């Protein structure tokens, strides 16, 4: 396996894990029975592990988008069709920042079994993550797939041994705190 394949594999893993964590949050906090069935401290620990994971990994994806923008802006002119195509993809709905805003809104809703706003907010977060965020990531990944420069992949991804270990550590913490009834299954990729 070459270096680009290793980088791409880690990016896929991060996307799958982020989706799994987002969906586990929505399942654990977006249903009325979750409020009654989870103890306060374990629920709070799981919630914090999820937030810590998602904030970190989504910030990494946001930073990658910025590095991609910076790299291609330095390389291509405004009139270049490749640059315009990339700008369209990067301007599309589904930014990591938007996902974090939806997460924040869901977290701000009161966790009451009778309050449907919290349930709707968590469903909206998961739906956005699985549609808008994921579709945008798919488009960026497809655009990047044509790039065969290892140095570009290194710069854009910003992945190193420390970041891989950090991602695994954070994901393991989510898995350790997972409440009963929630799972870290992630949606199958489109076209699988």
């Amino acid at each position: 396996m070459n270096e680009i394949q290793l980088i791409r594999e880690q990016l896929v893993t991060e996307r799958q894990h982020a989706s799994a964590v987002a969906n586990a949050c929505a399942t654990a906090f977006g249903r009325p029975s979750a409020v009654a069935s989870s103890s306060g401290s374990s629920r709070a620990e799981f919630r914090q592990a999820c937030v810590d994971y998602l904030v970190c990994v989504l910030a990494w994806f946001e930073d990658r988008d910025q590095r991609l923008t910076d790299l291609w802006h330095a390389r291509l002119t405004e009139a270049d069709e490749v640059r315009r195509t990339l700008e369209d993809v990067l301007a599309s709905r589904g930014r990591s920042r938007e996902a974090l805003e939806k997460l924040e809104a869901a977290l701000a809703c009161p966790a009451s079994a009778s309050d449907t706003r919290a349930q709707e907010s968590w469903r909206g977060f998961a739906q956005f993550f699985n549609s808008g965020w994921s579709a945008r990531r798919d488009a960026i990944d497809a655009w990047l797939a044509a790039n065969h420069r290892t140095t570009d992949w290194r710069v854009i991804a910003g992945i190193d041994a420390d970041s891989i270990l950090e991602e695994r550590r954070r994901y393991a913490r989510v898995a350790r705190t997972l409440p009963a009834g929630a799972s870290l299954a992630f949606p199958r990729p489109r076209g699988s």
Side-chain angles (χ1 to χ4, degrees), residues 40 60 76 97 153 156 159 165 191:
W60 288 345
L76 301 172
R97 187 170 296 142
W153 279 92
I156 293 164
I159 291 174
L165 292 174

Side-chain angles (χ1 to χ4, degrees), residues 45-111:
E45 189 177 358
F46 173 67
R47 178 180 164 134
Q48 191 60 53
C50 290
V51 169
D52 290 347
Y53 182 87
L54 290 170
V55 167
C56 177
V57 171
L58 291 174
W60 288 345
F61 277 106
E62 193 72 23
D63 290 346
R64 289 171 182 140
D65 291 352
Q66 186 59 55
R67 287 190 296 268
L68 174 62
T69 300
D70 293 347
L71 181 68
W72 288 99
H73 279 192
R75 197 174 285 168
L76 301 172
T77 68
E78 287 183 33
D80 194 304
E81 183 62 33
V82 173
R83 179 174 164 173
R84 285 198 308 270
T85 302
L86 174 62
E87 286 174 343
D88 289 345
V89 169
L90 290 170
S92 65
R93 178 182 172 271
R95 291 186 62 170
S96 294
R97 187 170 296 142
E98 290 173 82
L100 288 171
E101 289 167 0
K102 293 201 178 288
L103 173 63
E104 184 177 20
L107 290 166
C109 285

Side-chain angles (χ1 to χ4, degrees), residues 149-190:
R149 290 181 174 177
T150 304
T151 54
D152 287 354
W153 279 92
R154 280 186 207 134
V155 168
I156 293 164
I159 291 174
D160 59 17
D162 290 337
S163 68
I164 292 170
L165 292 174
E166 180 67 13
E167 188 276 335
R168 288 179 183 164
R169 184 187 65 74
R170 288 175 184 270
Y171 188 71
R173 180 174 168 226
V174 172
R176 275 193 317 274
T177 60
L178 194 65
S183 81
L184 287 174
F186 40 86
R188 294 181 62 121
R190 291 176 191 33

Side-chain angles (χ1 to χ4, degrees), residues 19 22-23 125-135 187 190:
S19 292
N23 288 305
F125 167 68
Q127 182 179 15
F128 177 82
F129 206 93
N130 294 321
S131 61
W133 185 83
S134 188
R190 291 176 191 33

